[in-house]
Amino acid sequence: AAAQLRRDPPDALWLRLQRAASSLQAGLSITDAAHEAGFADAAHLSRVCRRMFGIAPSEIADVIEWVPPPATGAEPKLT
């Protein structure tokens, strides 16, 4: 029987990519950033990064600025 591949939901991958990008922007190597974010290795991070963004992880720090989501309850109330 073929081995079952584990697939993370897209939002989990997105969070892991954000963590990897932050690590890369902080100066970590691609391998260290991949491990820090929970990827198996640099090749795994590279495949996911290219699939989601179309660029290599080494390019991510130069082109992506992560914007945090608004705080809960920060939305204006209608009166």
Side-chain angles (χ1 to χ4, degrees), residues 16-39:
R16 288 168 58 201
L17 283 169
Q18 285 180 323
R19 182 175 294 145
S22 294
S23 296
L24 289 168
Q25 288 174 327
L28 267 64
S29 69
I30 294 174
T31 299
D32 290 339
H35 291 154
E36 181 84 13
F39 292 96

Side-chain angles (χ1 to χ4, degrees), residues 36-77:
E36 181 84 13
F39 292 96
D41 54 25
H44 183 206
L45 170 59
S46 183
R47 283 191 306 273
V48 172
C49 190
R50 287 186 185 277
R51 188 174 73 231
M52 299 275 289
F53 298 128
I55 61 173
S58 59
E59 300 172 81
I60 216 167
D62 297 331
V63 298
I64 294 180
E65 180 179 340
W66 299 106
V67 178
T72 304
E75 298 173 26
K77 294 181 181 178

